[in-house]
Amino acid sequence: MMRTRPLKVALLGCGVVGSEVARIMTTHADDLAQRIGAPIELAGVAVRRPSKVREGIDPSLVTTDATALVKRGDIDVVVEVIGGIEPARTLITTAFEHGASVVSANKALLAQDGADLHAAAEQNGKDLYYEAAVAGAIPLIRPLRESLAGDKVDRVLGIVNGTTNFILDKMDSTGAGYQEALDEATALGYAEADPTADVEGFDAAAKAAILAGIAFHSRVRLDDVYREGMNEVTASDFASAKNMGCTIKLLAICERAADGGSVTARVHPAMIPLTHPLASVRGAYNAVFVESAAAGQLMFYGPGAGGAPTASAVLGDLVAVCRNRLSGATGPGESAYAALPVSPMGDVVTRYHISLDVADKPGVLAQVATVFAEHGVSIDTVRQQGKDGEASLVVVTHRASDASLSGTVEALRKLDTVRGVASIMRVEGE
């Protein structure tokens, strides 16, 4: 039987995502009520600029006092889409203390303080859901923490930032340089005026921390994630990738160690074979490849950002939390029982593509090969081109640890015949 008294929702933030959440709540109100078992009512909207016209939102609901809104006591669910660390963290914990469950899209906060937020939710018997924090509209958090709860996830490999994927896709498909592709992404609205969080990998690193924590039932914070940006990727790197039958993607990679005793989480550009499903992800789309013991290989694909796609994930969480509210239950909270340590990047084992500028004379290849051998790094293939006394040497290794590769590169720089290390890139997705 449908409950007639509505569940009250407070919305913190009414930008691109928040306005879409409000719109869908209004236009799909009847359907949402049927799916939940009770109507939902937008009871207040906290914003910074109350004078701005917000189509479809009753101006009497708009307030600049977000703290008073979450303290009201009659609010059932708080939807937080303001982002950042503060005041979002204080507002969320205050909401729990005053009886509300929370739906959030705040990846930065969850990556930094997820454990504390989960503890606050559990202490107050409330829900904390955040499907929209990782990959926009793509259902990923719920499959990892519910659908795959009986399985053992070994690896999560994904493209989780649409801006960087758009830029790299443009460089690959048109031969454009990095700055040219970034300028186009900015003009089209895919990149912010300050793209640092995207192109330097901070956004993807926050998402990797959340994914690793859920996948491996361990606490992984943003500071645990190794991060490299993509602003040094060049057209020459793409040419080398094509010679190997690869393309280049900015990847978030979360792995369980072979012995099961630790995990790693990292974000960096990598060459990936064209035969891998992630290689075909174009434009501003996201995709995440999950490998587990029983289910095998799974791929989740779709739009990873934007108002409507992200709002879809928020509304999915809102429906789930409201259902829990009606039944007097709570959904899954933090699962960190495994408490696996996060290994440093030096322990990570992968393949490498190294491009060297060298003197074009006899014996150079032998010198370089000797350095690799002395550091225990096995060479898979070598390609050399040169004229007029200068040459380029491209070496692709078998799997080696990051620490051993770093030692190799340091030794190579000391050779008189090596003019410089043009680029180093990992090769993933075998």
Side-chain angles (χ1 to χ4, degrees):
M1 180 180 294
M2 173 78 69
R3 192 182 88 164
T4 57
R5 182 168 65 83
L7 293 161
K8 294 189 176 183
V9 179
L11 180 60
L12 307 183
C14 199
V16 173
V17 176
S19 60
E20 278 296 307
V21 170
R23 182 189 67 80
I24 296 171
M25 283 182 62
T26 302
T27 58
H28 295 181
D30 291 341
D31 284 338
L32 292 171
Q34 292 295 329
R35 295 167 192 174
I36 292 168
I40 54 175
E41 173 189 319
L42 187 59
V45 182
V47 299
R48 283 184 292 184
R49 295 186 298 275
S51 60
K52 180 180 178 181
V53 176
R54 294 173 172 84
E55 187 177 349
I57 296 177
D58 184 345
S60 67
L61 297 178
V62 176
T63 178
T64 57
D65 195 343
T67 301
L69 179 59
V70 299
K71 283 183 173 181
R72 273 177 38 174
D74 64 333
I75 300 297
D76 294 286
V77 185
V78 169
V79 175
E80 182 272 309
V81 287
I82 57 177
I85 305 303
E86 288 291 359
R89 174 171 49 197
T90 299
L91 290 170
I92 289 173
T93 54
T94 301
F96 290 142
E97 292 165 359
H98 286 78
S101 290
V102 173
V103 173
S104 176
N106 195 330
K107 54 188 170 287
L109 177 58
L110 288 158
Q112 177 174 303
D113 294 316
D116 291 341
L117 294 178
H118 274 293
E122 183 177 1
Q123 181 180 352
N124 290 279
K126 298 298 178 285
D127 275 324
L128 173 62
Y129 276 50
Y130 43 91
E131 184 68 66
V134 172
I138 305 172
L140 185 58
I141 299 297
R142 192 171 288 112
L144 280 174
R145 71 177 186 175
E146 296 183 35
S147 303
L148 295 174
D151 205 344
K152 179 171 77 83
V153 176
D154 293 314
R155 195 178 199 218
V156 179
L157 171 75
I159 299 164
V160 295
N161 183 280
T163 300
T164 55
N165 199 59
F166 178 88
I167 293 169
L168 292 173
D169 184 36
K170 278 294 174 182
M171 293 177 70
D172 184 27
S173 60
T174 69
Y178 168 78
Q179 189 61 50
E180 182 183 353
L182 173 59
D183 290 344
E184 182 174 353
T186 304
L188 292 173
Y190 291 124
E192 301 286 347
D194 180 2
T196 302
D198 294 322
V199 300
E200 291 292 339
F202 291 102
D203 176 86
K207 295 169 180 177
I210 295 169
L211 290 174
I214 296 170
F216 306 130
H217 303 279
S218 302
R219 288 180 177 169
V220 180
R221 289 170 49 89
L222 179 58
D223 292 345
D224 296 321
V225 182
Y226 174 84
R227 177 192 55 79
E228 283 181 22
M230 48 162 277
N231 54 329
E232 294 185 4
V233 176
T234 65
S236 295
D237 292 326
F238 273 101
S240 294
K242 287 181 179 179
N243 286 333
M244 292 177 57
C246 293
T247 188
I248 299 172
K249 300 291 187 182
L250 184 76
L251 298 178
I253 305 169
C254 311
E255 293 179 304
R256 187 189 301 269
D259 63 4
S262 64
V263 299
T264 58
R266 50 198 167 101
V267 168
H268 53 71
M271 294 182 180
I272 189 168
L274 295 175
T275 53
H276 194 282
L278 291 178
S280 62
V281 178
R282 317 294 296 197
Y285 275 70
N286 284 190
V288 178
F289 203 73
V290 178
E291 301 174 14
S292 66
Q297 297 179 333
L298 306 169
M299 183 169 166
F300 301 84
Y301 169 84
T310 306
S312 171
V314 171
L315 266 294
D317 279 350
L318 180 59
V319 168
V321 170
C322 286
R323 287 171 176 169
N324 291 343
R325 193 84 172 182
L326 288 179
S327 66
T330 55
E334 183 187 33
S335 175
Y337 73 91
L340 296 174
V342 181
S343 295
M345 188 61 188
D347 293 346
V348 171
V349 176
T350 188
R351 296 174 66 205
Y352 289 86
H353 176 282
I354 305 103
S355 180
L356 304 172
D357 295 326
V358 299
D360 185 18
K361 62 182 183 180
V364 173
L365 179 56
Q367 287 183 329
V368 169
T370 297
V371 170
F372 276 89
E374 288 174 346
H375 289 81
V377 179
S378 175
I379 294 176
D380 182 16
T381 61
V382 176
R383 186 176 73 255
Q384 184 173 7
Q385 294 178 327
K387 63 179 182 179
D388 299 329
E390 299 296 330
S392 63
L393 192 65
V394 174
V395 179
V396 179
T397 73
H398 288 291
R399 291 175 65 83
S401 71
D402 189 81
S404 62
L405 196 282
S406 296
T408 303
V409 171
E410 185 178 347
L412 287 170
R413 295 183 192 275
K414 296 178 180 178
L415 293 177
D416 292 338
T417 52
V418 174
R419 311 298 193 207
V421 180
S423 68
I424 304 170
M425 192 167 295
R426 296 169 183 86
V427 183
E428 301 285 349
E430 297 175 85

